[in-house]
Amino acid sequence: MTEIPKAYEPQSVEAKWYDFWNKEGCFTADAASSKPAFSMVIPPPNVTGILHLGHVLNNTIQDILARRARMQGFEVLWLPGTDHAGIATQVVVEKRLKKEEHLTRHDLGREKFVERVWKWKEKHGGIIINQLKKLGCSCDWTRERFTMDERYSKKVAEVFVDLYNKGLIYKGKRMVNWCPVSLTALSDEEVIMKPQNGKLYYFQVEVAEEPGTFLTIATTRPETIPGDTAVAVNPKDERFSRFIGKHVIRPIPVELPREQKLIPVVGDEAVEFEFGTGVLKVTPAHDKVDFEIGKRHHLPFIEVINADATMGELAGNDLKGLDRSVARKKSVEVLTSLGAMVKEEPYQNNVGYSERADVPIEPRLSEQWFLRYPSQKEARDVVNSGELKFYPSRWAKVFEHWMVNIQDWCISRQLWWGHRIPVWYKDGEMRCQVTSPGEGWEQDHDVLDTWFSSWLWPFATMDEATFKKFYPTTVLVTAPEILFFWVARMIMAGFEFIGKKPFKDVYLTGIVRDKLGRKMSKSLGNSPDPLDLIARFGADAVRMGVMRAAPLGQDLLFDEQQVELGRNFCNKLWNACRFRQMQGGEVEGEINPALLTGDDKWILSRLDTCIREVNKAFDDYNYAEAVHVLYRFFWNEYCDWYVEAAKASLNSGDEKLKANTVAVIDFILSNTLRIFHPLLPFITEELWQGMGYSKDMPENQGGKTIMNAPWPKPFDKDFCEYYGLNEQMLKFTEAKYDLVVQGRNLRREGNIPSNKKVKFVLKPLTKFDERDLNVIKTLLNADPLEVAENYEPAKGTPSGRNALGEIYLPMDGLIDVEAERAKLKKLLEKCEVEIKRIEDRLNNPNFSQKAPAAVLEENRKRLTEWQQKQKQSQDALAALGA
RNA sequence: GCUCACUUAGCUUAGUGGAAGAGCGCUUCCUUCACACGGAAGAGGUCAGAAGUUCGAAUCUUCUAGUGAGCACCA
């Protein structure tokens, strides 16, 4: 590192290193490697997708996992790719077509339109991939896949044929969720229930057999009256059971002759006494529950709503052609004019909305393909037994709940963009096979639900050699929103088609919200653009900010301040390395144990703790904790204490001592950079190379890139012995720092500016060596630091004390005996309270008999400490005079 | 309606039975030679409420209140 800017400038280094890694093949997995495998498949973003903070969270976690695993000696595959996203993509291209050429897809025709989508994909589909690169994601781009790749598509068709042959896929006319905008069926998972403020309309119908007798019916959908083919009551309902078997006169369409308006009253247990009037109108063609009732009582199915949610011919003269919402108002008018309206009241209910088009779905009778889920038992067993783990574990329950209530999956979509259903028709004959049976066979017009291809992602993306080495994958990292859409289905597919689970662990991230706890959304405008954040703060800062804010198992409240903190941290790391550079000397010299100071040993020991804690946090997928540990170690322990203390040695004039200190610094920094690399890949590479730590190193020791440097290991026993790391030394050093804090406090209380050198007196109660005294002097900015075993302070000299000794700040003419006395009294009070509390506890026979020995020991030790402190304070108070 | 989370300092949160911790923010001081994207010292908490178990509860149990999510839905 020659020219070192004062502040870290991420913009100038990120692209450089990403290109370097990519060009050097650092991300490419070797299927022939003898190293143990670590593999992940990326949750494929939609090709239409644009990077949002959810992706950042998700992919940063995966990148951390991948980079750490590489450093730990695994052969890592992180397989990237994109999803063709049926509806989403088709809608995007259709909109564009309409805007730019005023054409609909029907104007172009199916073949031409699909061609257009492909062209669009080639041109715009890679945006999100490039964004992931900006974030630093170390995906194996040589293996990038798309769910409509030729090989992948073939696999999808084969799976369909296989399931068909097993009798799990069937075609049937059923009630499906119909999206009147996209004009396609949807699966239950694509329907979102939303509360609506609507109205409950009460109208009456005359009983045909008893003229003058009326039944009142409550409904939210009066426009479906023309489709009613019965009225249902609960057979146990004494108010109405006598009407069962009779008929009522359906009021709409008004123009029909009386005999065509007669519909039967049926008895069905599904009708609830309490709701509305207890009388239910039954519209078998347009409601799920009514469909079931209709089947039970063999009622006719009259379709009165068209595919586009306008009213059909059978709705009658008053309603036909109207949109469903207009028809609702119109039907109320008609009922009113007939004198059939009783009342309407405000009513809140839930209505299913199409996830993509955001309009109410229409339950619609339609011919679709369905899948009875395969390998359900295996999927449930593997999760229940803990053989496949969810993190956090509560998601396993949510998974189980869904599996228990699982419904057949409607897999056909009336779209053009997607995998076409591999079924062929000719002369009323039907065949299910991957390729056309030959001349004259026409393929089914529908395509498959996008998720029908996504659920094969963990293996359909892998070639034979890759599969052999890397399946099953190690861990899947994804958002909980797609637990049912994707995760559950992949588990079943894994068992059905491979006979093995697709991944060992599933880590479900939180949902990213804004700092007020609201979901990120375009309409709220509270969703920051990650690329903008990267441009302003750097990718490392964004990664750190997001990771720091992600508490385990909970949603993440994002605030730009977090990213700012990440940037500040990078700057700190940068400057700490700069400080090392300014010391000069040999890079990574040998550490001589004989020359180690207490501070050196302390920071080495803290590094060891840091490595252990970070490893545990990463193994638990606890990223916020890992960041917290790293932050504490590097900023609070290394920079705030060690570097400041080391300045005493560095400026001592003792060249050997200085060289040894620099060697310790190099050791710490080399480990720090490596342990930070998964989180902060760019800055650590820049510093690794710039500091010269890569120099003369073999490739597997980080010679080419920090990516290949070994992951730091906790120290073993021999290491600790060799360098003299022990508990006693740590305690001493920490007590030394405590004395410093107390001394600084005196300075603050005495209103002495921190940049002013001032005389401190240390009255030692134990032996300090020269270097320790020098450190205390440096840290206190004391000059001189007088050491006097028999120091007799003037009355009122501000003081602090602990087991190592007493520290005084003599102040000429500014002695405030009262203040010092008050301080000591306050301390004594605290001592009394604590001593009493601990004594009471120890004197309680129940406690001393039942508490574990370690706890007892701990309490006794604490008691001694407080008593010692009490004694010291009493002495000091006595010295002040009464 | 059912299920599951969550409630600790102004904010975001760590803490699964044995002295209430962190970051941000706040107060005061400091441009001293790595860093003002910085340094130093502080203030701030009846751990949502109640009852119980225990020698001992932020932590376990039960109830209550609030917040959030998922599932099921009544026309």
Side-chain angles (χ1 to χ4, degrees):
Chain A
M1 200 160 15
T2 44
E3 286 287 318
I4 320 161
K6 203 168 172 184
Y8 172 54
E9 289 155 13
Q11 294 76 15
S12 63
V13 305
E14 290 179 356
K16 174 182 75 180
W17 290 120
Y18 199 89
D19 290 347
F20 172 79
W21 294 325
N22 213 2
K23 219 171 283 161
E24 295 288 325
C26 298
F27 305 153
T28 310
D30 176 9
S33 165
S34 59
K35 293 185 205 168
F38 181 99
S39 57
M40 295 180 291
V41 289
I42 203 169
N46 291 352
V47 305
T48 55
I50 293 187
L51 197 74
H52 57 66
L53 281 170
H55 295 120
V56 172
L57 172 64
N58 216 324
N59 289 293
T60 301
I61 289 174
Q62 290 174 75
D63 196 43
I64 288 173
L65 285 165
R67 287 178 185 271
R68 176 163 173 258
R70 279 188 203 99
M71 293 173 78
Q72 286 175 316
F74 289 93
E75 185 62 34
V76 172
L77 168 65
W78 182 13
L79 197 152
T82 47
D83 192 298
H84 68 281
I87 298 184
T89 310
Q90 178 165 322
V91 166
V92 166
V93 178
E94 274 186 284
K95 272 191 186 156
R96 205 184 164 88
L97 201 60
K98 181 124 197 192
K99 199 176 156 199
E100 292 177 0
E101 302 173 50
H102 306 289
L103 293 174
T104 68
R105 67 181 151 122
H106 299 284
D107 294 332
L108 284 183
R110 184 165 190 150
E111 212 172 300
K112 283 251 169 66
F113 178 76
V114 170
E115 231 171 72
R116 288 293 188 94
V117 183
W118 273 109
K119 268 192 196 151
W120 180 90
K121 187 251 169 192
E122 298 310 330
K123 205 169 163 194
H124 304 283
I127 292 177
I128 196 155
I129 294 298
N130 286 319
Q131 292 178 322
L132 289 172
K133 291 177 180 172
K134 285 261 188 316
L135 188 62
C137 295
S138 58
C139 305
D140 182 351
W141 301 111
T142 65
R143 286 181 165 88
E144 185 181 339
R145 296 287 184 268
F146 179 54
T147 48
M148 295 240 304
D149 286 345
E150 205 182 322
R151 232 185 66 92
Y152 199 105
S153 298
K154 187 161 168 262
K155 198 89 197 172
V156 171
E158 283 168 4
V159 158
F160 185 99
V161 173
D162 177 56
L163 291 168
Y164 179 85
N165 290 336
K166 286 172 180 163
L168 293 170
I169 283 179
Y170 60 92
K171 192 178 191 178
K173 193 160 188 180
R174 296 249 234 115
M175 191 59 77
V176 296
N177 309 300
W178 183 264
C179 174
V181 170
S182 314
L183 298 179
T184 178
L186 300 173
S187 68
D188 294 342
E189 286 69 31
E190 288 164 290
V191 177
I192 298 164
M193 301 306 283
K194 288 192 186 182
Q196 297 291 304
N197 288 315
K199 286 203 172 107
L200 195 56
Y201 303 94
Y202 292 78
F203 68 99
Q204 56 181 13
V205 291
E206 191 170 21
V207 181
E209 287 84 353
E210 295 180 28
T213 303
F214 292 89
L215 293 176
T216 303
I217 301 171
T219 182
T220 53
R221 301 202 66 185
E223 74 276 16
T224 62
I225 291 174
D228 291 354
T229 54
V231 162
V233 298
N234 195 307
K236 289 182 188 147
D237 190 336
E238 288 173 4
R239 295 172 296 173
F240 305 115
S241 55
R242 68 186 182 89
F243 295 110
I244 295 172
K246 296 185 174 161
H247 295 78
V248 299
I249 303 163
R250 188 184 60 209
I252 307 179
V254 288
E255 67 272 18
L256 290 182
R258 179 184 154 99
E259 61 272 18
Q260 284 182 41
K261 290 199 226 175
L262 290 184
I263 54 173
V265 178
V266 298
D268 198 287
E269 308 252 332
V271 182
E272 292 199 20
F273 291 38
E274 312 299 330
F275 189 86
T277 58
V279 185
L280 169 70
K281 72 192 241 344
V282 183
T283 325
H286 296 290
D287 185 277
K288 231 175 177 176
V289 174
D290 292 4
F291 174 75
E292 296 301 324
I293 296 177
K295 272 205 299 194
R296 281 199 286 273
H297 300 279
H298 310 288
L299 301 172
F301 295 71
I302 306 178
E303 286 188 47
V304 294
I305 304 178
N306 297 324
D308 62 355
T310 59
M311 304 305 293
E313 201 62 35
L314 294 174
N317 296 336
D318 287 318
L319 303 181
K320 72 178 175 197
L322 298 179
D323 183 78
R324 56 185 165 174
S325 58
V326 180
R328 182 168 304 170
K329 287 185 195 116
K330 181 73 186 172
S331 58
V332 172
E333 280 169 29
V334 172
L335 289 171
T336 309
S337 69
L338 291 172
M341 266 314 280
V342 177
K343 61 173 175 177
E344 57 180 62
E345 50 188 39
Y347 182 66
Q348 201 185 54
N349 64 339
N350 287 320
V351 174
Y353 270 66
S354 157
E355 192 196 24
R356 284 283 157 209
D358 200 34
V359 292
I361 56 109
E362 201 58 57
R364 187 162 192 263
L365 211 48
S366 124
E367 179 131 85
Q368 302 288 345
W369 289 93
F370 294 90
L371 167 68
R372 195 169 307 128
Y373 283 100
S375 297
Q376 292 181 35
K377 188 183 179 307
E378 289 82 349
R380 287 175 63 182
D381 287 352
V382 79
V383 173
N384 284 333
S385 70
E387 211 184 309
L388 191 161
K389 284 199 183 70
F390 281 83
Y391 294 85
S393 58
R394 66 191 165 88
W395 291 110
K397 283 187 202 158
V398 180
F399 167 83
E400 172 68 11
H401 187 244
W402 185 74
M403 290 297 291
V404 168
N405 299 304
I406 202 165
Q407 304 269 325
D408 288 359
W409 177 9
C410 175
I411 52 173
S412 47
R413 295 290 178 275
Q414 288 65 52
L415 303 173
W416 288 354
W417 174 242
H419 302 97
R420 207 147 160 190
I421 287 178
V423 170
W424 315 79
Y425 306 94
K426 185 183 179 185
D427 306 330
E429 206 187 323
M430 182 180 105
R431 281 200 204 158
C432 179
Q433 57 188 65
V434 174
T435 51
S436 171
E439 260 321 277
W441 287 82
E442 198 189 350
Q443 188 167 10
D444 197 295
H445 287 85
D446 288 353
V447 299
L448 288 160
D449 180 5
T450 303
W451 298 101
F452 192 88
S453 58
S454 314
W455 75 328
L456 312 177
W457 189 249
F459 54 86
T461 47
M462 294 186 186
D463 61 47
E464 208 173 309
T466 307
F467 179 84
K468 205 170 160 220
K469 176 77 184 171
F470 292 106
Y471 189 93
T473 60
T474 313
V475 54
L476 177 81
V477 179
T478 192
E481 291 125 315
I482 54 173
L483 179 61
F484 307 141
F485 276 111
W486 196 45
V487 181
R489 287 166 179 169
M490 277 193 291
I491 298 173
M492 289 184 272
F495 279 104
E496 185 66 17
F497 307 116
I498 307 295
K500 267 198 261 180
K501 60 183 174 186
F503 25 75
K504 297 186 187 104
D505 290 350
V506 177
Y507 176 74
L508 292 153
T509 64
I511 296 166
V512 183
R513 298 169 180 280
D514 69 8
K515 61 178 167 180
L516 299 175
R518 301 174 304 183
K519 253 188 177 174
M520 296 284 181
S521 80
K522 274 184 198 159
S523 52
L524 278 174
N526 59 349
S527 178
D529 175 7
L531 286 188
D532 171 56
L533 292 171
I534 288 173
R536 282 158 56 212
F537 298 106
D540 291 330
V542 172
R543 292 165 66 113
M544 182 159 181
V546 168
M547 285 300 98
R548 220 184 84 86
L552 188 63
Q554 286 175 55
D555 289 351
L556 174 157
L557 269 57
F558 179 83
D559 186 349
E560 194 171 292
Q561 217 172 37
Q562 303 278 2
V563 178
E564 217 169 298
L565 191 94
R567 179 206 50 188
N568 295 355
F569 186 85
C570 289
N571 193 51
K572 189 75 174 175
L573 186 59
W574 182 260
N575 274 290
C577 289
R578 233 178 113 214
F579 175 76
R580 156 63 187 96
Q581 286 296 84
M582 293 167 84
Q583 306 307 316
E586 188 189 350
V587 175
E588 290 197 271
E590 187 97 2
I591 297 174
N592 179 354
L595 291 176
L596 288 178
T597 63
D599 309 288
D600 294 333
K601 292 176 185 175
W602 179 77
I603 197 62
L604 286 168
S605 173
R606 295 313 299 163
L607 173 65
D608 177 51
T609 304
C610 171
I611 293 169
R612 287 171 203 277
E613 291 181 359
V614 166
N615 274 333
K616 180 168 190 316
F618 275 147
D619 290 342
D620 293 343
Y621 300 103
N622 194 346
Y623 299 94
E625 170 71 7
V627 175
H628 178 239
V629 168
L630 288 167
Y631 191 96
R632 183 202 65 203
F633 168 73
F634 191 71
W635 200 311
N636 303 132
E637 296 175 348
Y638 176 75
C639 292
D640 288 349
W641 283 107
Y642 179 71
V643 172
E644 294 309 317
K647 283 176 183 172
S649 302
L650 295 169
N651 300 330
S652 65
D654 179 339
E655 284 307 314
K656 273 189 181 166
L657 183 60
K658 180 177 175 180
N660 207 52
T661 305
V662 167
V664 172
I665 290 177
D666 276 337
F667 183 84
I668 299 287
L669 287 179
S670 156
N671 276 276
T672 302
L673 290 176
R674 280 180 279 144
I675 205 162
F676 268 112
H677 178 253
L679 179 68
L680 312 173
F682 294 110
I683 189 174
T684 49
E685 182 76 274
E686 174 75 7
L687 289 169
W688 183 257
Q689 310 267 352
M691 298 290 290
Y693 297 150
S694 60
K695 230 175 160 192
D696 304 326
M697 282 286 186
E699 212 170 280
N700 66 2
Q701 297 290 313
K704 187 166 83 185
T705 155
I706 192 172
M707 281 186 71
N708 299 333
W711 180 253
K713 284 194 179 63
F715 304 159
D716 58 24
K717 217 176 143 202
D718 290 347
F719 184 98
C720 293
E721 263 172 36
Y722 182 70
Y723 289 107
L725 310 187
N726 59 60
E727 195 66 21
Q728 219 182 340
M729 174 56 80
L730 293 180
K731 280 266 151 70
F732 179 86
T733 304
E734 275 165 10
K736 186 171 80 189
Y737 295 159
D738 173 62
L739 222 43
V740 169
V741 170
Q742 294 199 43
R744 286 168 171 170
N745 193 5
L746 302 182
R747 183 191 270 277
R748 168 84 194 86
E749 284 170 1
N751 277 324
I752 297 168
S754 48
N755 60 344
K756 190 179 168 198
K757 294 218 184 286
V758 67
K759 175 177 156 184
F760 277 90
V761 180
L762 176 67
K763 187 174 174 182
L765 296 173
T766 182
K767 200 178 152 13
F768 286 90
D769 70 21
E770 198 58 34
R771 288 183 296 192
D772 287 324
L773 295 172
N774 223 340
V775 166
I776 294 173
K777 189 178 165 191
T778 305
L779 293 177
L780 278 177
N781 196 22
D783 200 15
L785 175 70
E786 211 173 281
V787 182
E789 276 175 50
N790 301 313
Y791 183 64
E792 296 279 351
K795 278 183 186 174
T797 305
S799 64
R801 67 208 76 244
N802 70 16
L804 295 190
E806 298 174 6
I807 187 92
Y808 293 92
L809 176 57
M811 290 167 47
D812 307 328
L814 287 170
I815 300 167
D816 185 348
V817 180
E818 275 314 310
E820 183 67 9
R821 197 177 275 151
K823 198 173 89 185
L824 285 165
K825 277 186 178 161
K826 207 174 152 195
L827 185 60
L828 272 171
E829 266 171 40
K830 177 146 200 219
C831 289
E832 269 172 42
V833 171
E834 289 298 327
I835 288 168
K836 180 155 192 322
R837 199 202 290 189
I838 299 172
E839 274 178 349
D840 283 355
R841 190 180 300 155
L842 286 168
N843 288 335
N844 183 336
N846 274 315
F847 175 71
S848 41
Q849 278 162 29
K850 292 180 186 171
V855 174
L856 280 171
E857 183 57 30
E858 184 65 33
N859 275 277
R860 289 203 191 96
K861 225 163 84 185
R862 225 177 282 145
L863 182 64
T864 319
E865 278 169 21
W866 281 110
Q867 283 167 339
Q868 198 179 357
K869 201 174 249 179
Q870 190 183 34
K871 176 91 184 21
Q872 282 185 353
S873 306
Q874 278 165 348
D875 291 351
L877 197 59
L880 282 178

